[in-house]
Amino acid sequence: MDVRLTTEQQALRDSAAQVVDRLGPGTVRGLGDVERAGRLDAAVAASGWRELRVPPDGRTPLASAVEAAVVAEELGRGLADVPFLGPTLAAELRRLAGAPPAGAPETVALASSLAAAAAVDARAVPSDAVAVDARGATAALVLLPDEAGHALGTVALGPVGVGTDLTRPGAAADPASTATRVEGPGCRPLTGDDLAAWTALGLALDCADLVGTMRGSVDLAVGYASIRRQFGRPIGSFQAVQHLLADAHVLTEGSRSAARHAAWAVDALAPGDALAAAAAAKAYCARAARTACETAIQVHGGAGNTWECLAHVYLRRALLSTAVLGGVGASLDRVAAHHGIGGGGGLR
Amino acid sequence: MDFGDAPAEAEFRLRLRAWLEVHNPGLPTSSTDDEYWAGQAAWHQSLYDGGFFGVTWPTAIGGQDLPSVYDVIVDEELAAAGAPARPSLGYLVEGILEHGNGEVQARFLPGIVNGRDRWCQGFSEPDAGSDLASLRTRADRDGDEYVLTGHKVWTSYSDDADWCLVLARTDHDVARHRGISAFALPMRQPGVEQRPLPMINGITKEFGEVLLDGARVPDVNMIGRPGEGWPLAMTIVSHEREPHELGFAGRYAKQVKDLVALVKADPGRYGGEEVRDLTWAIVESEMLRMHVCRRLSDRLDGIVHGPEGSVDKLLMTWTEQAVGHAALSIGGARATGSDDTLMKVYLYSRSQSVMGGTSQIQRNLVAGRILHLPAS
């Protein structure tokens, strides 16, 4: 056992950090800077990070889920308004289904609860499918249930719209479209294990993004507490404020340990075990992230409750990461089912 | 990055698993049953003789010089087998290794590691809890001995101990942190009176107070130099704050496993709230296990122990208290009856946010020394 990041993984983390520090939004106003966002997107496109789960040999991904998680954490920390989760999950679905690579930028569509992949009837209008992280995507993958398991389909997307998360807009499936089955010589039906492994990857990336948003929001709040003065002293010198921030930091460190294991488990453990590990990490990270992001708002006082303060942007990003593929309740259900103390098999 | 076993680690794990099939003493958990203490010394010695205790310490003191990640394997396998956790001694060993001279190390450490000598730690006093540097126990030189007078309290395992690592003031004319020295005090002598202190869960063997009235200790039993007691205490408490030193991650895993078995045996009896509390305990204890893996892997870089121990201590505390709340939820309060093991688990969990430095003190340390917030 050696759970340190390798030298290569550290280098990947550093280069992702440099890109988001240079080209991330930085401020709430920066979110509206289309030219900057375009340069960030170009930098991420050039890096190849969105293709980490594409299999050069048709089967084995270019990089493990740990590398994908390393990138996700830095993108979360820097509130990167650039697609990553969606394209990565789409590439993974295609890999698991033996489908050819996407011809155009795509993401995945989830059920309206966001807790699972959208499963649709190919002949019907996929009205409740929601594409996440859909900026730049022209289509989204959906599941087409059939006798053998699930086939992959694509649906066209309507225009992107900002939801809770100001950095990662979604899109509804185009109501005028129907799903098109993805065909190819290597295509095979997706099994329950495939979907468990895919969900484990999605949850692990959510966890990494949550750890990043926690780090970013705690850094923001610590910086503010060190300069904001009341009663003639920096507010960060008061124990009441210090203890809030200390707890947020400790939650971040615990989340980082859980998230790191979840990312490793995706490629190292059997799908059911990987999913259970990811669900345990997701429950922990999601609850921790909400607390840490709320703490950042609290420490900013009145300023933290204004639109111009970045603290709510972190919270909003954390809340979407929490919802994608199952939040606290759904994750706890999965953990309970895995240990034989809860009904059902959890969501798949 | 790999959470899996290397071949040598897998071999060690299988060997331990096979050994446990024969040697698991089936003792109750220390925190809930005085019976544990009747068998604790034998369990420690058996684990050591089997080659599974102190494996990461130097061979010179009875260890095996294995990488620290082997402690994770020991904790995991003990928990999986339902065996008692590793005895908690690592902090004493680390403190003496760092501050004791060669002669002191050779004289005391092998007996601590192999379990033949029982030790306790005399730090806290009635008026020196979080403010440890205000301690008043005094050690006055008398020829080649010191004579100790004072009152130690909340001393774990004092009634079973042969030795006490005691802090006492040897110099009254310097700043209070600088006048403290550390001694290996023989407990079985006329000047030492040991009184058990029942804890809130009713156990009597774990907690005690020690009255020192003319207790004598040879000067060669001083650990470190005169006045080195404070840095030694800081070394010890920083190790005491790391969950792997205490094997606590394994203790929580065992308790969670027991609770899961209870619910599975009678699922109709437990509702959504009980299952939810238990599931949180699973989530927390899994997190802590991964956190220990991370911290022990960091040691492969030779990272020195700093304020991160306070992060570990808070995570460990939250985990123990989540397990305690699950035990409370599943066990519930009883109007009468004697089988109150789960209530004992819960009540004992309240001590984790106090022992080894309160959670408030840990938060101060995180804020000041990790987040670098302005001094209060």
Side-chain angles (χ1 to χ4, degrees), chain A residues 1 4 243 247 253 257, chain B residues 9 291 294 301 363-364 376:
Chain A
M1 178 184 42
R4 294 174 297 177
H243 287 194
D247 280 353
E253 289 299 310
S257 299
Chain B
E9 294 165 352
H291 188 72
R294 195 179 130 211
D301 285 333
R363 290 180 173 106
N364 287 348
S376 54

Side-chain angles (χ1 to χ4, degrees), chain A residues 109-345:
Chain A
L110 303 181
S112 58
S113 70
L114 304 183
V120 304
D121 180 337
R123 288 152 302 182
V125 177
S127 56
D128 79 335
V130 187
V132 290
D133 198 19
R135 183 184 271 125
T138 52
L141 292 175
V142 293
L143 303 180
L144 307 175
D146 63 20
E147 308 79 49
H150 290 86
L152 274 188
T154 57
V155 292
L157 298 177
V160 292
V162 169
T164 302
D165 181 354
L166 306 183
T167 61
R168 293 179 295 179
D174 179 353
S177 75
T178 55
T180 310
R181 189 172 170 132
V182 174
E183 310 273 8
C187 276
R188 54 186 176 266
L190 289 163
T191 64
D193 271 356
D194 289 333
L195 290 179
W198 177 77
T199 305
L201 174 69
L203 292 173
L205 294 179
D206 286 335
C207 289
D209 202 286
L210 287 165
V211 171
T213 51
M214 293 172 79
R215 285 173 57 205
S217 64
V218 173
D219 286 350
L220 185 74
V222 166
Y224 183 77
S226 302
I227 55 167
R228 167 73 174 166
R229 297 177 72 86
Q230 289 289 277
F231 306 101
R233 301 157 57 180
I235 60 168
S237 68
F238 295 107
Q239 280 192 333
V241 175
Q242 291 185 346
H243 287 194
L244 284 174
L245 291 169
D247 280 353
H249 173 76
V250 174
L251 286 171
T252 307
E253 289 299 310
S255 298
R256 190 201 295 261
S257 299
R260 194 174 281 189
H261 178 256
W264 169 80
V266 170
D267 295 309
L269 299 186
D273 293 336
L275 181 57
K282 179 71 181 282
Y284 189 89
C285 294
R287 181 50 50 84
R290 192 183 71 180
T291 302
C293 292
E294 288 175 351
T295 293
I297 291 174
Q298 177 68 19
V299 168
H300 279 83
N305 288 273
T306 63
W307 188 265
E308 286 304 299
C309 178
L310 267 182
H312 76 107
V313 185
Y314 282 109
L315 175 64
R316 287 164 169 277
R317 184 166 175 124
L319 294 177
L320 185 71
S321 298
T322 296
V324 167
L325 295 176
V328 172
S331 297
L332 291 175
D333 286 348
R334 282 190 171 116
V335 173
H338 185 75
H339 284 81
I341 54 169

Side-chain angles (χ1 to χ4, degrees), chain B residues 282-299:
Chain B
I282 294 170
V283 165
E284 289 270 351
S285 78
E286 283 290 286
M287 176 282 300
L288 190 70
R289 194 161 69 82
M290 303 319 160
H291 188 72
V292 171
C293 290
R294 195 179 130 211
R295 287 294 197 228
L296 290 180
S297 295
D298 285 346
R299 280 190 173 186

Side-chain angles (χ1 to χ4, degrees), chain A residues 70-95:
Chain A
V70 162
V71 173
E73 181 179 330
E74 291 308 319
L75 297 181
R77 183 184 61 83
L79 293 172
D81 44 352
V82 65
F84 177 74
L85 175 71
T88 304
L89 287 180
E92 181 78 344
L93 265 187
R94 283 184 176 268
R95 181 181 79 82

